[in-house]
Amino acid sequence: MRTQMLELGQSWDVLQARLHQLSAEDANWRANRLGVFVFDPGPEVLQVAKDAYGLFMSENGLGASSAFPSLMQMEDDVVSMGLNLLNAPESACGNMTSGGTESIFLAVKTCRERARAQGKDTRDAEILMPRSAHLAFDKAAHYLDLNVVRIPVGSDFLADTKAIENAITERTLMLVGSAPCFPYGMIDPLPELNDLALSNNIWLHVDACVGGYFAPFARMNGAELTPFDFELEGVRSVSADLHKYGYSAKGASTLFHRTEEQREHQLFSSSDWACGEFGTPTLAGTRPGGAIASAWAVMNFLGTQGYRRKTETVIQTRLELQRGIESIAGMEILGDPQLGLLIYRSIDLDSRSIHHEMMQRGWFSPLLCEPDAIHLMLSPGHQNVIDEYLQDLNNSIESVRLDPGIDRRSVSRYN
Ligand SMILES: *Cc1c(COP(=O)(O)O)cnc(C)c1O
């Protein structure tokens, strides 16, 4: 039945209680039971993200260049900080967007418009990428009337550069590498993709939605990571999400371009309507001021030192879980994780069934299907539940081992 709007509104006390009641059915991220969707930096940072959002909740980024210079200043600051973290040259620039999908959409759109402006026929144009790249590229291609060509990853779960090279044709419009990719959590061999991009004069986009505000701090802490950012000359654009490991409130990502000339092709403006000149840098019209202020506040609250500590906590948590999982007979970690994602499976039992048992015990995380494996994206908050998680994993494995035949109906789906 359709919900009918109440004739008389209810008090906030009543509604607040109802909201709490509704959330009781949700996966319990506050108790760190969620290995996806939420990035919990702890109560202090969450409060900053929330309060800053609240302060600018009504302000509109659509008016950043007129009514709200505050938002313009904050977006400039956030973009500048991001560019510095990603070794961008002086010529580089960027924008805040609503999320990774919008950042990727705009990168693809910009690449297509620029190619057209250079007289290229983009009717059969292709985005060439490893199979591990995010579906947001397929979505962008769908909207923009382009094609996606996915090339299987190697046995190390990384982009197979040789196979990608062999797939380059006249139609190739964009190359993509991830830092890291979402399914396997590892950084693609971007120096090799960079060589391909340069020698074939193809736009290389780096999807650092997960790693953009994590990998730079891991590196500062001493991790030896594959180069992935603007230090590689062929990297034309980078997407990096603030609402993931940037710990900002949701609705915040960044898209960076190597040059202003490139970004010209991202912008939209027209005056062909009743209100005169109307220009927007991104897809959105109205843009939530809260998301901009939240990102700005969290970045300035944490600073480099704060992010480095959070990053270290996540990596130590991942290492402890990794050791715990590897010490269970028959369990293996996929590939060689370096950041905050950990993917594991059973060699002899059905990983889907183990996943199902974990879900029954209140642990919510995605189930991969290539191959069947359990996926965990870790937050600092997970350091509090390592022992509990491993205990439940042991129990789950035991349940499956004792009774492998029952239909646990685990489905592999991301959302
Ligand atoms: C999350 C993610 C995206 C999409 O970002 P949204 O903010 O969910 O739109 C793209 N690429 C990667 C690697 C991601 O992890």
Side-chain angles (χ1 to χ4, degrees):
M1 219 181 43
R2 278 196 201 151
T3 302
Q4 179 80 28
M5 189 187 283
L6 300 170
E7 187 62 33
L8 267 182
Q10 285 176 316
S11 75
W12 172 229
D13 279 351
V14 169
L15 293 171
Q16 210 172 348
R18 177 77 184 116
L19 286 175
H20 283 301
Q21 199 185 351
L22 282 169
S23 76
E25 301 293 310
D26 291 346
N28 195 352
W29 66 268
R30 288 185 177 82
N32 305 113
R33 289 299 192 274
L34 206 59
V36 65
F37 299 141
V38 173
F39 293 77
D40 177 8
E44 225 188 355
V45 180
L46 278 180
Q47 196 64 45
V48 171
K50 184 171 159 179
D51 288 350
Y53 197 104
L55 280 175
F56 280 83
M57 189 185 69
S58 304
E59 279 74 357
N60 187 341
L62 181 58
S65 61
S66 53
F68 306 115
S70 57
L71 294 178
M72 176 85 109
Q73 178 70 53
M74 286 188 270
E75 180 173 0
D76 275 355
D77 289 348
V78 168
V79 166
S80 297
M81 287 186 265
L83 288 169
N84 287 337
L85 284 173
L86 297 168
N87 295 308
E90 270 309 308
S91 62
C93 57
N95 282 103
M96 287 185 70
T97 72
S98 62
T101 302
E102 188 183 354
S103 292
I104 287 168
F105 173 86
L106 287 173
V108 174
K109 182 256 184 204
T110 306
C111 175
R112 190 195 72 171
E113 299 308 283
R114 186 163 174 270
R116 285 180 174 177
Q118 291 170 346
K120 295 199 184 102
D121 182 354
T122 59
R123 272 174 299 181
D124 292 320
E126 294 170 349
I127 303 171
L128 180 57
M129 59 190 206
R131 182 142 179 89
S132 54
H134 199 277
L135 269 179
F137 291 96
D138 301 67
K139 194 190 264 188
H142 178 72
Y143 289 159
L144 292 164
D145 208 11
L146 299 168
N147 298 309
V148 162
V149 178
R150 285 177 177 265
I151 305 295
V153 293
S155 56
D156 52 4
F157 301 101
L158 299 175
D160 180 345
T161 321
K162 202 82 214 125
I164 288 175
E165 179 171 18
N166 291 335
I168 293 176
T169 69
E170 290 286 285
R171 297 184 299 279
T172 311
L173 178 70
M174 177 186 258
L175 287 176
V176 174
S178 309
C181 68
F182 181 80
Y184 309 121
M186 285 173 279
I187 300 179
D188 281 323
L190 278 151
E192 294 171 24
L193 292 172
N194 180 62
D195 290 343
L196 285 186
L198 289 174
S199 56
N200 292 281
N201 192 25
I202 303 171
W203 183 304
L204 174 58
H205 178 82
V206 174
D207 183 8
C209 278
V210 178
Y213 295 97
F214 189 95
F217 302 112
R219 188 177 274 159
M220 288 177 207
N221 288 344
E224 282 190 28
L225 301 177
T226 311
F228 67 93
D229 59 25
F230 285 105
E231 83 180 88
L232 302 170
E233 293 288 321
V235 172
R236 301 238 124 246
S237 53
V238 178
S239 46
D241 287 351
L242 294 155
H243 61 203
K244 288 181 180 155
Y245 287 110
Y247 304 118
S248 167
K250 291 204 173 34
S253 171
T254 37
L255 172 63
F256 303 111
H257 289 287
R258 180 171 287 277
T259 64
E260 277 286 354
E261 175 276 321
Q262 249 176 247
R263 191 187 36 187
E264 285 299 311
H265 301 279
Q266 176 187 307
L267 314 178
F268 174 86
S269 78
S270 175
S271 50
D272 190 15
W273 73 328
C275 295
E277 191 70 34
F278 180 90
T280 56
T282 60
L283 183 63
T286 291
R287 291 199 296 156
I292 297 172
S294 178
W296 183 91
V298 170
M299 287 171 111
N300 284 302
F301 182 73
L302 281 172
T304 306
Q305 290 294 330
Y307 276 110
R308 285 180 61 174
R309 279 196 299 272
K310 298 285 173 209
T311 301
E312 192 52 28
T313 302
V314 171
I315 287 185
Q316 287 308 323
T317 302
R318 196 253 302 150
L319 283 169
E320 267 191 64
L321 280 167
Q322 197 171 337
R323 280 192 290 269
I325 293 166
E326 278 172 330
S327 73
I328 306 173
M331 300 304 287
E332 71 171 6
I333 305 292
L334 240 58
D336 182 18
Q338 292 170 311
L339 305 170
L341 283 87
L342 182 66
I343 294 93
Y344 66 93
R345 63 174 168 177
S346 169
I347 300 165
D348 50 347
L349 297 171
D350 177 26
S351 295
R352 290 171 171 253
S353 298
I354 297 172
H355 179 261
H356 177 85
E357 289 289 333
M358 288 299 277
M359 296 280 273
Q360 294 293 100
R361 288 168 172 78
W363 299 100
F364 189 103
S365 76
L367 174 65
L368 292 195
C369 55
E370 293 180 9
D372 284 354
I374 297 166
H375 187 278
L376 283 179
M377 186 144 62
L378 300 168
S379 291
H382 287 118
Q383 69 176 322
N384 306 318
V385 297
I386 297 171
D387 291 343
E388 268 177 276
Y389 186 88
L390 290 172
Q391 187 59 54
D392 277 342
L393 180 58
N394 269 297
N395 294 339
S396 294
I397 291 167
E398 209 38 45
S399 298
V400 176
R401 200 179 293 285
L402 285 174
D403 203 349
I406 49 172
D407 178 12
R408 292 178 171 85
R409 288 193 306 276
S410 327
V411 282
S412 174
R413 54 179 301 174
Y414 174 64
N415 63 355

